[in-house]
Amino acid sequence: MQQFKGADDLIPLLDSIKELSFLAILISSMVYRRHLKLTKWKRKLTIGEWTMYIATSTALPVYAVLYFAFLLGTK
């Protein structure tokens, strides 16, 4: 199989872009959870908002624990 000339340089770049996108998703979900929490104090949340509030409230700590576990697992 023929390997392109810049393929070895492209893989780390794509990995970096993937990690940056995960970071952007993480930060935006934290901001959205905070927005929903503030909205919950002002008025009653809709069913869709409750679903997103519960999903982000459980996903963020689970992601943090799993990330820390994988970080400790790789030596």
Side-chain angles (χ1 to χ4, degrees):
M1 183 173 168
Q2 181 183 6
Q3 191 171 15
F4 296 107
K5 198 168 198 146
D8 291 334
D9 298 332
L10 190 61
I11 300 294
L13 176 68
L14 292 176
D15 283 337
S16 297
I17 291 172
K18 182 181 84 167
E19 289 184 17
L20 283 175
S21 67
F22 282 138
L23 184 63
I25 290 170
L26 180 69
I27 291 171
S28 64
S29 64
M30 288 169 39
V31 169
Y32 188 58
R33 185 193 176 279
R34 174 78 175 146
H35 170 72
L36 287 173
K37 188 175 182 180
L38 293 175
T39 303
K40 187 173 77 166
W41 289 350
K42 294 178 184 177
R43 63 172 173 85
K44 186 176 178 182
L45 296 178
T46 64
I47 293 173
E49 289 172 337
W50 263 112
T51 304
M52 288 304 296
Y53 182 74
I54 292 169
T56 56
S57 294
T58 56
L60 289 172
V62 167
Y63 178 78
V65 168
L66 288 176
Y67 183 78
F68 188 67
F70 284 127
L71 190 64
L72 290 178
T74 58
K75 294 181 181 179

